[in-house]
Amino acid sequence: MGYASQIAALTARFLDLLREFDTRGVWSGEGINSCAHWLSWRTGLSLRAAQDHLRIAHALHDLPQMHEAFAEGRLSYSKVRALTRVATPDREEELVSVALSATAAQVEKIVRSIRHIDRSEDESRSGHIESTAQWRWNDDGTLAVTMRLAPVDGARFLAGVVRSEYERTRTADDPDVPLPDSDDTSGDSAPRSASGAVDLWRHVPSNIADAVVAMADTAQTVIAMPEFAPGAEVVIHSETDADADSAQAHLDAGPAITGAEVDEASCGGSTRRVTHRKGRKGVALKMGRKRRLPTRALLRVVFERDRGCRHPGCGRTRHLHAHHVRFWRDGGTTDPDNLIMLCSTHHRALHHGGFSIRALGAQQFSFHRTDGSLIEVAPATQAPANWRPDAHIAPDAVEPVGGGRLDLGYTLEVLYAAWEWREGQLTTPIAA
């Protein structure tokens, strides 16, 4: 437990230094496009974690009570990360008080509720609800999609679901399917009941998964896309030296799939198979000097190999350029041994002398600083020498004080009552 308190205090100190580092702009250079990018590259954090660290570091500057509790090891990083999503100078005192007596999970629950309440109040005042949706691949290989749609957007979505389910489930002998000998070309050839109403399937299914997949299949089939459009088609990767039926295949940037799933996906209207040669990186496709600009097929090869900007620590997947490592004017060829994907930021930095790239052959490349030293893909990290625990940090500082079961409704009621009271005190005129 003592080390947990030390970790919290050290993290607070680290965030103080990080904020100063960002404020001074010391991170710039060598094609680095942000402090978060530098932090991700140099410390091994994911870009999302690095962005979180920077957000918290700057937020704590305006939250002195929270900063003090964090620096003393009484608040963990997890609690501070959650609290800074909703904390303001007017709310800080109550939030810190609650967090000191709650677990990290309870703090997360409180913060989620506060964000929900605040968002509902903002939407009520503005009369506008923003539709949002997120997706992620789960560890078990399934795709999870979460949506929050405004009323009209939600109605449009459900209308599309109903139409997709109708199209997916109807059969040739359904009464609403137009008969082959029908002379009605108005589009309303379905038989009518005694009341004159068209008899159609009309309900939203309780499980809409199949209908949503049908919607996706329809959009994938009927909407035309550019020939080279990463992400707009189902891409399946496999190797050549294995039997086609047993080769392990996987979705592009996704999980492994079975042979049956490969066959199912291959029936779609926009599916592409990418075959890799076992034991070799990239795909051998030579263009020589026949043309400067790579073909769409060659662009696809280089993109499949690099998957994003190749500059160490970047990995951006949008606004990419295919760069000739040895310039075309200097005799560079247009083939995978001389082409590399760079984002627009690093492409510009390269041409402005921020760094250089060397082609090593066999589609391998190295990046170098202006002094010729190697830019490491993953710089080595090491512990500071002669570190000793801070004796001023209590071993049990990070433990919740009191704790117990969370009464979420009561907690929120007390918090908002205190904030409303403080707001009233600030707006009440002082009598002369």
Side-chain angles (χ1 to χ4, degrees):
M1 185 60 69
Y3 281 111
S5 301
Q6 294 288 336
I7 289 172
L10 287 171
T11 304
R13 175 60 177 158
F14 171 72
L15 294 183
D16 288 342
L17 296 174
L18 180 61
R19 184 182 65 82
E20 185 67 22
F21 182 80
D22 186 27
T23 301
R24 296 186 182 186
V26 186
W27 49 265
S28 61
E30 299 173 2
I32 304 299
N33 51 42
S34 69
C35 186
H37 173 206
W38 182 92
L39 185 64
S40 174
W41 171 45
R42 298 294 298 185
T43 65
L45 294 174
S46 69
L47 184 59
R48 177 65 180 272
Q51 292 168 339
D52 253 354
H53 277 63
L54 278 166
R55 176 187 64 80
I56 297 165
H58 287 286
L60 286 173
H61 182 65
D62 299 321
L63 302 169
Q65 297 180 56
M66 191 176 300
H67 179 274
E68 180 182 2
F70 192 20
E72 293 175 351
R74 295 186 291 133
L75 286 179
S76 67
Y77 172 78
S78 294
K79 291 183 180 181
V80 172
R81 179 182 59 190
L83 292 172
T84 49
R85 297 187 185 115
V86 296
T88 63
D90 292 337
R91 292 180 165 186
E92 177 188 16
E93 182 178 351
E94 290 77 18
L95 288 173
V96 170
S97 178
V98 169
L100 290 174
S101 302
T103 65
Q106 290 172 338
V107 171
E108 288 276 4
K109 192 172 184 178
I110 292 169
V111 167
R112 282 197 300 269
S113 298
I114 291 174
R115 295 182 73 182
H116 175 71
I117 294 172
D118 290 348
R119 182 174 59 188
S120 297
E121 292 180 349
D122 290 341
E123 290 173 346
S124 178
R125 284 192 294 267
S126 65
H128 172 70
I129 299 177
E130 182 179 358
S131 295
T132 58
Q134 297 84 34
W135 63 272
R136 71 178 187 278
W137 286 110
N138 294 323
D139 293 338
D140 62 358
T142 59
L143 180 72
V145 180
T146 304
M147 296 192 300
R148 180 178 182 269
L149 302 179
V152 174
D153 290 345
R156 293 164 61 190
F157 174 76
L158 289 179
V161 168
V162 170
R163 289 171 179 262
S164 296
E165 184 71 357
Y166 163 67
E167 180 66 21
R168 187 184 72 85
T169 59
R170 71 175 182 169
T171 60
D173 57 353
D174 280 350
D176 59 299
V177 177
L179 298 176
D181 57 351
S182 174
D183 295 330
D184 187 356
T185 58
S186 65
D188 185 14
S189 57
R192 298 178 178 273
S193 63
S195 62
V198 178
D199 186 16
L200 296 177
W201 187 95
R202 61 177 66 83
H203 300 294
V204 179
S206 58
N207 181 359
I208 65 174
D210 291 337
V212 170
V213 172
M215 291 171 63
D217 284 342
T218 301
Q220 184 185 196
T221 303
V222 304
I223 297 177
M225 291 292 294
E227 176 63 22
F228 182 63
E233 58 190 5
V234 176
V235 180
I236 301 172
H237 297 259
S238 61
E239 294 183 346
T240 60
D241 67 338
D243 181 73
D245 294 330
S246 61
Q248 181 62 69
H250 66 89
L251 295 175
D252 188 50
I257 57 177
T258 65
E261 289 171 324
V262 171
D263 293 339
E264 178 184 352
S266 299
C267 294
S270 184
T271 302
R272 187 177 297 274
R273 296 289 296 271
V274 178
T275 304
H276 300 269
R277 296 180 181 177
K278 188 173 183 179
R280 295 185 60 183
K281 295 183 177 180
V283 180
L285 178 61
K286 295 286 184 180
M287 289 298 296
R289 287 186 56 81
K290 292 182 179 179
R291 56 183 293 164
R292 178 186 179 189
L293 297 178
T295 63
R296 290 172 177 173
L298 180 55
L299 276 176
R300 188 179 299 280
V301 167
V302 176
F303 179 82
E304 291 293 338
R305 181 196 68 196
D306 293 348
R307 309 305 302 163
C309 178
R310 284 285 296 274
H311 187 282
C314 181
R316 287 172 61 184
T317 58
R318 300 182 62 188
H319 308 297
L320 300 178
H321 302 165
H323 169 71
H324 287 74
V325 176
R326 184 182 181 188
F327 292 172
W328 174 264
R329 66 173 181 271
D330 296 331
T333 57
T334 303
D335 60 60
D337 284 345
N338 193 51
L339 288 175
I340 192 170
M341 300 302 289
L342 295 175
C343 67
S344 56
T345 300
H346 285 115
H347 200 193
R348 187 179 305 112
L350 174 70
H351 282 284
H352 283 79
F355 61 92
S356 62
I357 305 176
R358 296 177 188 172
L360 307 178
Q363 303 185 37
Q364 299 300 305
F365 307 91
S366 61
F367 288 72
H368 300 265
R369 300 181 179 88
T370 53
D371 62 2
S373 61
L374 181 69
I375 301 177
E376 307 92 336
V377 174
T381 58
Q382 60 184 18
N386 303 319
W387 177 83
R388 293 291 182 273
D390 187 343
H392 296 92
I393 305 298
D396 60 350
V398 79
E399 290 188 50
V401 179
R405 185 177 179 180
L406 172 66
D407 187 335
L408 183 60
Y410 175 75
T411 301
L412 295 173
E413 184 179 351
V414 172
L415 286 174
Y416 278 91
W419 295 335
E420 289 177 5
W421 178 84
R422 180 177 290 111
E423 184 178 358
Q425 291 293 108
L426 294 175
T427 57
T428 301
I430 301 176

